[in-house]
Structures are given as C-alpha cells and as structure tokens.
Amino acid sequence: MSRRMGLLLAGVLCAAALSGGALAGSVTLPSGQEARLHDSFWEEDSGTLRLRFVVPAVGDDAYARDHDAVFADMESLCAGPGLAMIEDDGNAWDGVTVTMMAMAVEFGHTAPDVVQFFEAFLVQDGNCIWDEF
C-alpha cells in the first residue's frame, strides 16, 4: 500500500470514529500504534485546532526514534480527525497542532518524565501541510 493510500485510509478510519466532534475510543495509526484523544480545543486567536492524544508507544525508544513513523502518525491525526473536526465546525481554521504523549498531561502543566511530541500543520485546500515554523 502506498504511503498516500495509507494516510487516506487512516483519515477515513479516523473520520469514521468521530462522533459529535470527539473521537470515540481509540484509533489505530499507520504505524500500528493506538491513539486515544485526550482533549481538543480551538485556539481562536491563532485560528488553530489543537488535538492532544495519548499514544503510550511514544514512551518507547524504538518508536520514538522512528521519526518517519511518528511523523506519518501525526500527519494522519491531522488529516483524519483534525480535518473532520474543522469541517464539522464550519469555520475557516488555519491550522492543526497535534500532540502525542505517552501519558495524559493536562494542557499547560509540565511533566518532565512524560515524553510528548508536537507538530503543527497548516490547513490548505483541505490538506494538512507541515508547518516548518
């Protein structure tokens, strides 16, 4: 299966798991890891949707060091639930920030012992484009 087809399939599966603007249960990512939505919110001042997922494998060195797999998983979370939530909301949001964390951490709190990854994407023409900052 091509990478594009895999991301498309992941997006379809993620979108199918959406219920009333929130993910129901967990989602299997392209890498095979499981992700569970911890929280999501709109940052109106920046026009960004923030999605925060618990992905226990983030704490595993083998997965965390596979940068291609981690990025593909984060991109699929933007392209699936991220774009679906933006479409459901009906507003013109500029981007999606995806967080994957080994354990749930409340937003704004520090947890030096919990591995977390963050990635920002711009939303253009219905696609998630990596935002290089």
Side-chain angles (χ1 to χ4, degrees):
M1 176 184 318
S2 73
R3 181 170 187 254
R4 182 172 172 81
M5 184 59 112
L7 288 174
L8 178 61
L9 178 60
V12 169
L13 293 174
C14 288
L18 286 170
S19 171
L23 277 170
S26 64
V27 174
T28 302
L29 301 172
S31 68
Q33 304 304 323
E34 294 294 316
R36 180 180 46 83
L37 184 66
H38 175 66
D39 60 8
S40 65
F41 53 92
W42 306 100
E43 293 181 332
E44 292 189 23
D45 58 329
S46 66
T48 301
L49 168 63
R50 186 174 290 266
L51 297 173
R52 302 178 68 240
F53 293 88
V54 173
V55 181
V58 167
D60 175 31
D61 280 345
Y63 174 69
R65 291 175 192 238
D66 187 346
H67 302 273
D68 291 338
V70 170
F71 181 79
D73 287 349
M74 295 182 92
E75 189 174 41
S76 74
L77 291 169
C78 178
L83 293 180
M85 290 175 80
I86 287 172
E87 185 176 313
D88 285 350
D89 182 68
N91 287 312
W93 296 97
D94 296 325
V96 176
T97 300
V98 175
T99 301
M100 293 191 330
M101 51 194 159
M103 297 182 333
V105 176
E106 293 308 310
F107 185 74
H109 292 226
T110 59
D113 56 328
V114 178
V115 177
Q116 299 183 61
F117 296 126
F118 308 87
E119 199 62 75
F121 297 91
L122 299 173
V123 175
Q124 296 177 348
D125 300 321
N127 295 298
C128 291
I129 310 297
W130 178 54
D131 185 0
E132 299 180 60
F133 289 50

